[in-house]
Amino acid sequence: MRNKERRIIEKYSKDYLFYTSKDTQRILGSIISKIRIERFDERKKKWEKKDWVYDASSDFVKNPSLIFGKFIPESLVDGEEKENKDKYLYLVIKEFERIKNDYVPTLLKRIKKTIKEDFEKNGFVIQDFSLALSWRLVIGLGASHPQETSMTLHHIYGIPYIPGSAIKGVTRHWAVLRFAEELAKKNNLGIEKAIEEVSKKLENGDESLSLFLDTISFQDLIKIFGTQKEEGKVIFFDAYPDENIELKIDIMNPHYPDYYGGDKPPTDWQNPVPIKFLTIEKTKFQFYLASRDKDLLTKAENLLKDALKNFGIGAKTSLGYGVFEEV
Amino acid sequence: MFKKIKLFFIIAETPLHPGSGGELGLVDLPIQRERYTDFPKIEASGLKGCIREAFESQLTLDKQNKQYRLLNNEVIGCLKKEFKNIEEIWREKKNGKEVENTDRDGNKLILYQQAINNIFGPEDGEAHAGALAFTDARILLFPVKSLKGVFAWITCPMVLERFKEDLRLAREIPNELNIDFSTLENTLPQQTNICIESKVVLEEYTFEVRESETTSKIAEFLSEKIFPDTNTNAPYKFWRKKLEKDLVILSNDDFTQFVKTSTEIITRTKIDNKTGTVASGALWTEEYLPQDTILYSLAMASPVRVEKEEAKGVLKGNTPEEEAKKVLEFFESGCPEVLQIGGNQTIGKGLVRIQIFK
């Protein structure tokens, strides 16, 4: 018989350890186990260790944010430490499947009702649309996290989302770049200089620029984003993934770690150290914008859609991450 | 003196930042807290301002007729049932002659605006106090991540005791809360979904807990009042059921620790348009009350405080009590279900649901 395989639960606290208080450690040890996978070697006539995984025996919904960010076990077996991270990320992804069908759909319904039905009654016009990721998205990669690479998750529900501040920020950045292009063309300026002028005038609410991008004027931009003196006239809400969220493990692989560490030249004898992180793949997101001014709202929506489709949001946009397309 | 008092809940639908300005702490922009307990709160003045704004935002200017109108929707519909003429033009006697009241640009004001001035206090013109006052919004339930069941609502004996006293002020004395809460430390409702072998794991801490019938009753009572079972609140069925089961009464000290350390801290940056990376020095942290935090406040009404009887407009009543009652009615039926409180409105923060205690 080929591929004879068996799974053995490694005894907790001998092979892996959670770094939390004693009673929390005990509970975690009882619901998350480390499983050794052994295969029978026909030639040697004995069982040999082939792989290992983390598995949660319990079937209840856990908080993904706690599992991902706070309860991270360390393997105590020699040589396994480096493998630890992606093994654990697989568990996070598996656990995420549970909340996906339970909390996420009801939460999305509630957000929709709050913004589209109830908040709208305060004299706001609401615009909603959904776009899908053309590939992957990672937000909050650089935030502090025990495993080096993080991801922004909802504070209570632990599901990934795009913060309204990021959405507003990227729309604004995109607008500055496009208007600077126009200004550079018009006044025969260098692009760097044009960016500086546009962003300075936008910041100070200086309306002296007479620039247009399709139907959007520079004065519209000032109204949309606001200045220190006056609040912006458009609200950019957090965007949530539609029910079907796909999480994937990704890798970045800096080839000259000592060089990037800042103290050595990039030499061929340095070993690449793969760093694993979580991304969201091919998922649909629901965006909401609100304003009392319907005209400005449409303009902001167009800018945002353009930014999401052409520029992208989150980390690694220059590698095609965080770029959206029409559903 | 306040003649009529009503309690209402404030449910955070998005993270809430009732800011206290800068502080020399770890967080650059912390939230408001009670001086003596360190519990989060919303300052009454800020709350009142936001509610007034929500009322004022019901107006649109009809440019053709140079006259204000009310946005035609359910909120105003409710008001119109009680106060029929609120859309009529507001006339006042000046030098013995009756004249139409207008704003600076000559647009005609309507009785609705007069009622707002009487209720919240005038913004200009003859000074008098408003007829409606609010207390600081106090914390009732605070959501905390739970290893099992995603999150739990926590509260403590002190918070429940204050809540009971405030309900008493509003002359609502529920039998369900006539309990000595101090014996309920570390209890939760029966058949809860968050317990693992008689323990709960909240954030990284584990608490030994026991199920209690009394706590079940408290949870049911709160859930019924905060997420009432009406058609308009259909998506809340899930949260109503959750609150019935996943409430934990912690000790006063443990509760204080959580509201101090488990608020949402968001790191924000500013992107340098030229480099596309974080602008130097532009990295700051903001503190928020998480989504699903539940606070409450009291709305306290007195008779309208203007000298002339005719200036009372639609709120005019035969007795001071009746007038105060009308003031509260105006607030209750005219207040939108969802409004915005606190900082960072333009990035979608501070949407709260107002649920009046019934």
Side-chain angles (χ1 to χ4, degrees), chain A residues 68-72 85 143-150:
Chain A
F68 176 60
K70 279 201 168 157
F71 298 147
I72 297 164
K85 184 167 183 183
S144 61
H145 187 270
Q147 297 223 34
E148 203 173 357
T149 48
S150 183

Side-chain angles (χ1 to χ4, degrees), chain A residues 20-21 23-28 30-31 60-67 70-71 99 102-103 106-107 109-111 113-115 118-124 153-158 161 163-165 168 172-174 176-177 192-193 195-196 199 203 225 231-238 240 292, chain B residues 11-15 53-54 57-58 71 73-75 143-151 196-197 199-207 227 232-236 238-239 242 246 262-266 268 270-276 290-292 336-340 345-349 351 353:
Chain A
T20 45
S21 64
D23 12 0
T24 312
Q25 255 179 49
R26 229 167 39 80
I27 289 183
L28 288 170
S30 72
I31 61 171
F60 55 75
V61 185
K62 301 172 190 64
N63 189 305
S65 175
L66 283 180
I67 297 280
K70 279 201 168 157
F71 298 147
I99 193 170
D102 193 337
Y103 277 76
T106 32
L107 188 63
K109 250 184 247 159
R110 180 171 151 196
I111 292 168
K113 175 169 164 53
T114 301
I115 299 175
D118 297 336
F119 187 57
E120 196 171 25
K121 288 175 193 158
N122 291 21
F124 281 90
L153 295 178
H154 188 284
H155 182 72
I156 294 298
Y157 295 93
Y161 72 103
S165 55
K168 185 174 175 181
R172 190 187 154 113
H173 184 55
W174 172 254
V176 168
L177 294 184
E192 297 265 299
K193 222 173 164 103
I195 292 176
E196 200 179 317
S199 78
E203 181 123 27
F225 299 112
E231 186 177 61
K233 297 233 177 335
V234 176
I235 302 178
F236 296 77
F237 287 99
D238 295 343
Y240 284 87
R292 290 187 205 274
Chain B
I11 306 157
E13 292 281 353
T14 62
E53 214 251 294
S57 67
Q58 301 296 341
L71 289 167
N73 59 36
E74 284 167 50
V75 185
V144 178
K145 291 192 266 292
S146 160
L147 175 61
K148 186 178 175 189
V150 180
F151 78 96
I196 311 168
E197 303 157 17
K199 292 190 180 64
V200 287
V201 181
L202 303 175
E203 298 280 358
E204 60 265 55
Y205 309 102
T206 301
F207 296 87
F227 302 114
T232 53
N233 277 333
Y236 292 90
F238 182 86
W239 283 270
K242 184 163 176 66
D246 299 346
S262 298
T263 49
E264 187 169 357
I265 307 291
I266 296 178
R268 289 187 58 192
K270 184 172 179 292
I271 300 294
D272 185 324
N273 285 312
K274 243 160 105 185
T275 60
Q291 182 172 358
D292 283 323
E337 268 180 80
V338 167
L339 46 93
Q340 198 273 337
Q345 172 178 27
T346 65
I347 52 170
K349 306 297 181 191
L351 285 199
R353 178 172 300 277

Side-chain angles (χ1 to χ4, degrees), chain B residues 60-344:
Chain B
T60 62
L61 182 62
D62 176 354
K63 279 180 188 148
Q64 221 171 11
N65 297 321
K66 292 197 85 181
Q67 185 190 327
Y68 285 94
R69 275 182 189 291
L70 290 171
L71 289 167
N72 192 16
N73 59 36
E74 284 167 50
V75 185
I76 294 306
C78 276
L79 257 185
K80 279 183 182 165
K81 261 186 234 157
E82 296 290 333
F83 306 92
K84 292 195 177 58
N85 6 342
I86 49 176
E87 233 166 347
E88 272 174 32
I89 291 162
W90 168 9
R91 291 166 194 277
E92 253 186 349
K93 264 191 190 145
K94 273 176 191 158
N95 306 327
K97 249 168 80 187
E98 197 165 77
V99 288
E100 283 170 357
N101 235 312
T102 55
D103 68 4
R104 241 174 278 152
D105 302 323
N107 302 305
K108 292 171 201 160
L109 300 171
I110 55 176
L111 287 180
Y112 179 79
Q113 278 145 318
Q114 183 189 30
I116 290 181
N117 275 359
N118 285 340
I119 286 175
F120 296 99
E123 293 211 291
D124 52 338
E126 204 180 324
H128 62 83
L132 192 63
F134 296 95
T135 61
D136 287 356
R138 289 174 156 179
I139 186 94
L140 179 62
L141 304 172
F142 188 74
V144 178
K145 291 192 266 292
S146 160
L147 175 61
K148 186 178 175 189
V150 180
F151 78 96
W153 271 294
I154 59 166
T155 186
C156 69
M158 187 159 104
V159 164
L160 289 170
E161 199 62 53
R162 295 202 309 189
F163 178 63
K164 183 167 80 184
E165 286 314 308
D166 285 336
L167 272 178
R168 197 158 283 160
L169 269 181
R171 294 202 179 78
E172 307 259 9
I173 307 154
N175 287 328
E176 289 92 332
L177 296 186
N178 259 331
I179 312 161
D180 177 14
F181 297 111
S182 63
T183 59
L184 294 174
E185 274 181 18
N186 294 325
T187 60
L188 33 64
Q190 292 156 317
Q191 283 118 41
T192 175
N193 301 315
I194 52 172
C195 221
I196 311 168
E197 303 157 17
S198 80
K199 292 190 180 64
V200 287
V201 181
L202 303 175
E203 298 280 358
E204 60 265 55
Y205 309 102
T206 301
F207 296 87
E208 183 82 43
V209 285
R210 64 195 157 83
E211 293 187 357
S212 144
E213 208 189 315
T214 322
T215 309
S216 284
K217 288 210 175 103
I218 297 173
E220 264 167 51
F221 171 79
L222 291 176
S223 132
E224 198 184 296
K225 298 294 178 191
I226 295 168
F227 302 114
D229 193 1
T230 57
N231 285 336
T232 53
N233 277 333
Y236 292 90
K237 195 173 159 201
F238 182 86
W239 283 270
R240 183 159 60 241
K241 288 263 175 290
K242 184 163 176 66
L243 181 51
E244 276 172 22
K245 302 275 175 225
D246 299 346
L247 173 80
V248 190
I249 303 178
L250 293 174
S251 72
N252 294 338
D253 288 347
D254 289 334
F255 179 80
T256 310
Q257 276 309 309
F258 275 117
V259 296
K260 272 164 83 172
T261 57
S262 298
T263 49
E264 187 169 357
I265 307 291
I266 296 178
T267 306
R268 289 187 58 192
T269 55
K270 184 172 179 292
I271 300 294
D272 185 324
N273 285 312
K274 243 160 105 185
T275 60
T277 55
V278 177
S280 63
L283 183 86
W284 73 98
T285 47
E286 293 172 344
E287 186 181 26
Y288 288 86
L289 283 172
Q291 182 172 358
D292 283 323
T293 302
I294 292 155
L295 307 111
Y296 67 92
S297 164
L298 298 177
M300 305 179 289
S302 60
V304 178
R305 305 179 197 216
V306 291
E307 277 176 37
K308 294 175 206 145
E309 279 296 307
E310 71 265 20
K312 288 182 178 174
V314 292
L315 299 168
K316 189 170 157 23
N318 296 323
T319 60
E321 277 79 15
E322 201 188 313
E323 240 170 62
K325 200 167 157 250
K326 281 196 167 178
V327 167
L328 254 192
E329 248 167 37
F330 195 93
F331 164 68
E332 218 179 304
S333 40
C335 188
E337 268 180 80
V338 167
L339 46 93
Q340 198 273 337
I341 294 179
N344 292 326

Side-chain angles (χ1 to χ4, degrees), chain A residues 79-86 273 276:
Chain A
E80 273 180 4
E81 279 81 352
K82 275 181 192 144
E83 296 296 312
N84 189 12
K85 184 167 183 183
D86 67 318
V273 187
K276 281 148 187 157

